[in-house]
Amino acid sequence: MKWYNDRLKELENAESVYSLCGDDCAVCPRYAAKTEEELAATAEFWFRVGWRSRVVSTEEIKCSGCGSSDSCAFGLLQCTHEHEVKNCMECGGTKCGIIRKMLEDSAKSQSACRAECDTEEEYLMIFRAFWEKQKNLEKMLSK
């Protein structure tokens, strides 16, 4: 995504913001996109990678963090509400079956994402956003 590549230096220095599942929202394109054009490009990228079955609207792709919508692709938002915790590390962490499945499912899209990235730097930033979950969850546990 051109806009994302144009902002890599800015994103590189972004302070991490962790989601329930350990994603680093600060560098996630859905969270970092600021304009309708950036959101539209992100929606197209999500479709090409296979994270959506169609190109969704900019309103649907926009994310302002966990809890900004009523659903979570991995079922974590619902689970934290059921267990009355702020994040997954408060109740079982990486031993949880939902977390283990989420980590497995997340890994499956990695090669498709790499193929759709315009540059290696873009891929590495998206890797930081989505595939350092385990490390980020462990950081959350140690706090």
Side-chain angles (χ1 to χ4, degrees):
M1 292 174 288
K2 182 179 180 337
W3 77 266
Y4 194 73
N5 276 293
D6 290 346
R7 292 190 32 214
L8 285 176
K9 286 291 180 204
E10 170 194 335
L11 294 169
E12 192 175 274
N13 297 315
E15 186 173 332
S16 292
V17 176
Y18 300 125
S19 68
L20 296 174
C21 67
D23 282 348
D24 187 347
C25 299
V27 295
C28 171
R30 291 181 60 203
Y31 190 82
K34 297 185 184 328
T35 67
E36 288 293 310
E37 184 178 273
E38 291 171 352
L39 288 165
T42 302
E44 288 181 31
F45 182 81
W46 250 239
F47 169 69
R48 289 193 320 267
V49 171
W51 289 328
R52 294 291 185 278
S53 60
R54 61 185 170 75
V55 177
V56 298
S57 70
T58 56
E59 192 59 37
E60 188 175 332
I61 203 69
K62 184 178 184 177
C63 180
S64 52
C66 289
S68 63
S69 79
D70 293 333
S71 66
C72 167
F74 301 116
L76 299 174
L77 185 60
Q78 301 88 322
C79 187
T80 57
H81 289 307
E82 287 173 23
H83 289 94
E84 298 177 348
V85 295
K86 291 179 190 170
N87 66 59
C88 298
M89 300 315 287
E90 291 181 21
C91 90
T94 57
K95 295 178 182 131
C96 170
I98 296 172
I99 293 286
R100 282 195 314 273
K101 183 172 179 354
M102 177 268 307
L103 291 169
E104 291 168 11
D105 289 350
S106 179
K108 292 176 186 174
S109 60
Q110 201 168 343
S111 61
C113 180
R114 179 173 231 142
E116 291 300 329
C117 286
D118 295 330
T119 65
E120 182 68 9
E121 293 79 11
E122 177 184 27
Y123 170 73
L124 291 173
M125 191 62 66
I126 292 176
F127 184 93
R128 174 182 159 188
F130 301 121
W131 291 293
E132 293 186 346
K133 288 173 171 31
Q134 178 84 37
K135 178 176 86 173
N136 296 339
L137 288 168
E138 289 167 4
K139 280 184 192 176
M140 291 165 64
L141 182 61
S142 67
K143 286 185 177 184

